[in-house]
Amino acid sequence: MSHDVIMPALGMAQETGLIVAWLKAPGDAVKTGEPLMEVETDKATMEVEAQADGYLTGIRAQAGENVPVGEVVAVISDTPEDTAPASAPKVEAEAEDAPETADASGIPEGAQIIMPALGMAQDTGHLTAWHKAPGDAVSAEDILLEVETDKSAVEVPAGQSGYIAALLAASGEDVPVGTVIAVISAQKPDNPMMRSAKAATAPTPVPKPEAAKPAPAPAAPAKAAKPAPAVPRPEGRILASPKMRRQATLEGLDLGRLVEAGVPQPYHMDDLDQLRSLATTAANAQAIPQQAASRHLTAELSADGLTDFLNWIETETGAPADISAVLAGLAAGALADTTVVAVERFSHIRRFAAPAQYPLGRALETEDSPTLILRDLRGSALTGLHLGAEDAPVLTLTGRASLTLTLEAGSAQMAPAAALDLITGFAARLEMPLRHLL
């Protein structure tokens, strides 16, 4: 089955994207997550990743061309010889004809702001929060809203200066890419509008700021009448926004509980309260102390050795080091029987097969279950943690100039001697990586 590659919108007011370079040639095999092309707008330049496995075919736009947002630029096909024509563009080039007048639904005059496409396979964006209210003044650089997809959480600038004349979607809604979600007018509106995207046929003017409306009552927490029977842990990757995954990690919450409770994926910040409630219920139902059955070890070390090693790799190879792959190799080198290392960095999880054989960070990625989990939380505010044992031993890096390394593992996962060997071996490799390569 072929997969259309479209020009993504990297900003709210973006109409076109400049293809700086194709990073794959026609007929090349591509894998999900591999850089496919480099795109430039007036705000940013970024590498756009492939959203499917296959072969790059049907290139319709060359390097140096400006392409309207939403237009198909290539196809990822099942075979390198597939010559099936790309489908019609998902989004018409409506920016050229976008009127700045009120339409039949009563939307006021102004520049129309659409839900951007933050990825090539994205159909909708989850509107997490508005940072501006109807009637507010806004500059092009101001953050207008926060959008989540399955792969990223982004604060999106307004892209236009003026006043918020209308907000056409509510926080918490999933809005199709390309849908008009706001209007920014040149003059301060007399009657700014706010409505839900689901109520597009019934706009409601925003009342004058006389008295604040009472906040809606919070949703009732998930019922905890009876402990649910044991349910097998979900297999495969759990779909959750990076922000939700990061917050769950910081609070020590297991996203698998939402799967077991039947909550549909992907998960967003709106699901956090329910996850907390499920975790509290499970904790009350299980009065068994987990810490007594786990290993918890910490080590302190300098970050200079790792920094110098990453700089050395860039100098030798001419390209920035793959930090996650490098850390996976160093960690696996300290534990001989580690075959798959999962690295979580900025809430993005990658799994590497036999990374100890590729100390410079060129291990191949895999979908196999990890035998070791490594969380790279450097730069966060955390100075230490104690989350307890998980499905595999967990190494966590925190700190900045001075690093703290924490190992957590179940007593059945690692003997005391093996746990000591792992944390001391990894710490030594982080402090002097080159010494362990020689």
Side-chain angles (χ1 to χ4, degrees):
M1 179 178 177
S2 63
H3 178 92
D4 290 344
V5 178
I6 69 169
M7 174 59 67
L10 309 179
M12 297 289 286
Q14 177 192 344
E15 298 176 1
T16 64
L18 174 68
I19 298 180
V20 178
W22 283 100
L23 305 180
K24 295 286 184 178
D28 282 358
V30 299
K31 293 183 68 66
T32 302
E34 283 187 334
L36 194 62
M37 62 178 173
E38 188 173 284
V39 174
E40 178 182 299
T41 70
D42 58 350
K43 298 283 185 183
T45 300
M46 68 174 291
E47 290 183 348
V48 179
E49 298 178 351
Q51 300 297 319
D53 295 345
Y55 298 88
L56 181 63
T57 62
I59 293 181
R60 295 175 51 172
Q62 303 300 321
E65 290 188 35
N66 267 305
V67 181
V69 168
E71 185 169 304
V72 178
V73 295
V75 177
I76 296 177
S77 304
D78 294 331
T79 65
E81 297 81 15
D82 195 340
T83 57
S87 62
K90 293 184 179 179
V91 180
E92 299 293 337
E94 56 189 41
E96 299 177 2
D97 305 317
E100 292 206 356
T101 58
D103 62 20
S105 64
I107 297 177
E109 297 180 359
Q112 295 184 344
I113 307 302
I114 65 171
M115 171 61 71
L118 305 176
M120 291 187 295
Q122 177 193 345
D123 295 322
T124 63
H126 183 76
L127 203 165
T128 306
W130 287 106
H131 288 229
K132 295 290 182 179
D136 285 356
V138 63
S139 67
E141 295 78 17
D142 287 346
I143 299 301
L144 182 60
L145 75 158
E146 184 176 319
V147 176
E148 287 186 5
T149 70
D150 293 345
K151 294 185 176 295
S152 61
V154 179
E155 290 182 338
V156 184
Q160 298 280 346
S161 297
Y163 297 87
I164 304 299
L167 297 181
L168 307 177
S171 297
E173 287 188 315
D174 290 311
V175 184
V177 168
T179 300
V180 177
I181 56 175
V183 176
I184 297 178
S185 61
Q187 304 297 326
K188 186 174 180 64
D190 293 329
N191 296 298
M193 175 190 299
M194 184 171 189
R195 75 181 185 197
S196 165
K198 298 178 182 178
T201 57
T204 56
V206 176
K208 299 292 183 181
E210 296 176 357
K213 293 183 177 181
K223 295 181 178 180
K226 295 181 180 180
V231 180
R233 288 298 303 272
E235 296 182 355
R237 179 172 177 266
I238 297 175
L239 299 179
S241 70
K243 188 172 183 179
M244 174 62 170
R245 192 181 297 278
R246 180 171 59 252
Q247 189 62 35
T249 299
L250 292 176
E251 296 187 24
L253 302 175
D254 183 2
L255 292 172
R257 297 196 185 281
L258 291 174
V259 180
E260 294 167 356
V263 180
Q265 302 182 42
Y267 304 130
H268 301 284
M269 290 297 291
D270 295 343
D271 301 307
L272 185 60
D273 286 341
Q274 185 171 359
L275 178 57
R276 289 169 176 155
S277 178
L278 290 170
T280 300
T281 301
N284 292 337
Q286 297 179 353
I288 302 174
Q290 297 295 325
Q291 294 181 0
S294 65
R295 318 287 185 207
H296 185 94
L297 299 86
T298 59
E300 301 288 337
L301 59 143
S302 170
D304 294 342
L306 177 60
T307 301
D308 293 343
F309 185 51
L310 297 175
N311 292 336
W312 176 79
I313 292 177
E314 182 171 357
T315 300
E316 292 296 316
T317 63
D322 186 335
I323 299 175
S324 294
V326 169
L327 288 174
L330 294 174
L335 193 62
D337 59 351
T338 298
T339 56
V340 177
V341 176
V343 180
E344 182 175 337
R345 177 176 165 80
F346 301 126
S347 300
H348 180 58
I349 300 176
R350 299 166 64 192
R351 300 177 183 183
F352 300 93
Q357 301 177 21
Y358 306 92
L360 299 186
R362 296 182 180 178
L364 297 178
E365 295 189 47
T366 180
E367 293 298 323
D368 294 342
S369 298
T371 52
L372 179 66
I373 300 170
L374 173 59
R375 290 198 177 102
D376 184 5
L377 299 181
R378 290 174 300 148
S380 71
L382 289 174
T383 57
L385 47 80
H386 201 143
L387 301 178
E390 299 188 28
D391 292 340
V394 180
L395 286 165
T396 304
L397 269 176
T398 55
R400 292 181 173 85
S402 176
L403 300 180
T404 298
L405 177 60
T406 303
L407 169 62
E408 294 182 285
S411 57
Q413 294 172 338
M414 303 191 85
L420 288 170
D421 288 344
L422 174 57
I423 192 169
T424 56
F426 186 33
R429 283 167 170 78
L430 286 174
E431 285 196 309
M432 292 183 289
L434 284 174
R435 176 179 176 183
H436 289 272
L437 293 181
L438 300 177

